[in-house]
Amino acid sequence: MDVLKEFFGIGGYSRTPEGAWSWQHILFTSVMISIMIFLSILLGLKFRKNERIKQKTIVIAAIAINAFEIFKITMLSIRNGDFFDTIIHTLPLFLCSIMLIVLPLAAFTKGRLKEASLDFVLIFGFIAGVFGTVGAAQNYNAYPVLSLDNVVSAITHCISAFSSLFIGITGMATLKAKNMSITVTILLVVVALAQIANLTIPYNYMFLERHDGTPYSIFYNMVNGNLILYKILVIGGFALLIGVFYLYRFLRERVRERNKKVSYA
């Protein structure tokens, strides 16, 4: 029971956090990332031509990421003794936690919304997942490595990254130009909700108010802490990344069409 209480932080952690970039932080996140990459490549290559298993895998990922998040919120509520406060500080309004919404859309919807959601997970899932696992240095300064806060966070982030790689390897994402507007809309809606939450709670969703020791510090330092320019860079960077993926698909299709014409000639 003492071990469980210590893992869940009930009554407060007695252990001193190992700290950001400690060998424990690096070892734990390296193991998690390695397992994620191994499984995504193994399953992606094995089932890339099996449409039923591909769909089932995304369904399982969508259910699993939300199940772990609900479990974490429940335990944090018990630990903090305030369910409402826990909820408003764990809304899915970070880039990585958007997957709590978008993965189910990719799994359970149809048509263009499904296609755009798969595109969104492909584009942001791996980057957000890895940065949220390895780059969330502030978490390892605040909590022990082997704790509810860091272990469950690593699992959900790795599910996000796994889904992205799996979708890419199996070719589930279409990156059709007509769906780009939906993908961008998903991003902008979450950004708008995050900004509203930041002003009303207040909080730091999407890290729009400060970088908190994350890789967003690169943008923050580029503009010497100017908050308006920092937000423009963050949001603009997300939009640019979407554009790069869709442009790559467009150019690849153009090359294929050109090669076909050459071969027929």
Side-chain angles (χ1 to χ4, degrees):
M1 289 300 296
D2 289 339
V3 173
L4 287 175
K5 286 180 65 176
E6 184 59 22
F7 176 80
F8 292 117
I10 298 174
Y13 292 110
S14 62
R15 293 168 291 159
T16 302
E18 292 84 353
W21 310 117
S22 62
W23 69 265
Q24 294 94 334
H25 168 203
I26 295 172
L27 176 62
F28 172 68
T29 54
S30 296
V31 169
M32 293 296 293
I33 294 296
S34 297
I35 293 172
M36 175 273 296
I37 292 176
F38 172 77
L39 288 177
S40 60
I41 294 175
L42 175 68
L43 297 178
L45 293 176
K46 184 175 182 179
F47 298 117
R48 60 182 172 178
K49 295 183 179 180
N50 190 322
E51 296 300 324
R52 183 179 68 84
I53 298 298
K54 285 157 57 174
Q55 172 64 18
K56 188 175 181 179
T57 301
I58 297 303
V59 168
I60 292 172
I63 294 172
I65 195 172
N66 279 279
F68 276 108
E69 187 68 12
I70 291 171
F71 171 73
K72 183 183 76 173
I73 291 172
T74 301
M75 294 309 302
L76 290 178
S77 298
I78 294 172
R79 190 172 80 186
N80 300 338
D82 190 333
F83 179 75
F84 178 74
D85 183 71
T86 301
I87 286 294
I88 65 173
H89 289 97
T90 53
L91 296 172
L93 298 177
F94 288 106
L95 183 63
C96 47
S97 58
I98 297 175
M99 301 307 156
L100 295 166
I101 299 172
V102 183
L103 257 177
L105 290 177
F108 300 110
T109 61
K110 296 181 180 180
R112 290 180 61 193
L113 180 57
K114 182 182 186 69
E115 291 176 348
S117 298
L118 286 167
D119 292 349
F120 193 96
V121 176
L122 170 70
I123 295 168
F124 292 110
F126 185 80
I127 294 174
V130 172
F131 279 178
T133 303
V134 181
Q138 74 280 7
N139 288 343
Y140 296 91
N141 283 328
Y143 313 109
V145 171
L146 296 180
S147 65
L148 169 75
D149 300 82
N150 285 324
V151 171
V152 176
S153 176
I155 291 172
T156 54
H157 283 83
C158 282
I159 291 174
S160 169
F162 164 84
S163 301
S164 175
L165 277 181
F166 182 83
I167 289 169
I169 293 170
T170 57
M172 294 183 74
T174 57
L175 293 172
K176 295 177 182 176
K178 67 178 183 179
N179 294 330
M180 183 176 175
S181 60
I182 302 176
T183 307
V184 173
T185 298
I186 293 172
L187 172 67
L188 294 181
V189 167
V190 175
V191 168
L193 291 174
Q195 187 60 68
I196 292 171
N198 290 341
L199 295 174
T200 55
I201 294 176
Y203 203 52
N204 189 29
Y205 283 117
M206 291 289 283
F207 297 105
L208 292 176
E209 309 306 317
R210 56 189 182 278
H211 60 79
D212 280 351
T214 64
Y216 291 86
S217 60
I218 297 172
F219 294 136
Y220 193 84
N221 294 332
M222 284 176 60
V223 296
N224 295 318
N226 185 297
L227 194 56
I228 294 177
L229 294 179
Y230 167 70
K231 291 180 181 183
I232 291 174
L233 280 180
V234 170
I235 299 168
F238 295 153
L240 178 62
L241 187 59
I242 292 174
V244 167
F245 271 79
Y246 280 96
L247 178 62
Y248 167 76
R249 176 58 185 264
F250 172 77
L251 293 176
R252 192 176 69 175
E253 291 300 317
R254 290 290 297 273
V255 170
R256 284 182 178 179
E257 291 176 5
R258 186 181 305 167
N259 290 339
K260 284 182 180 179
K261 290 180 180 179
V262 171
S263 62
Y264 291 147

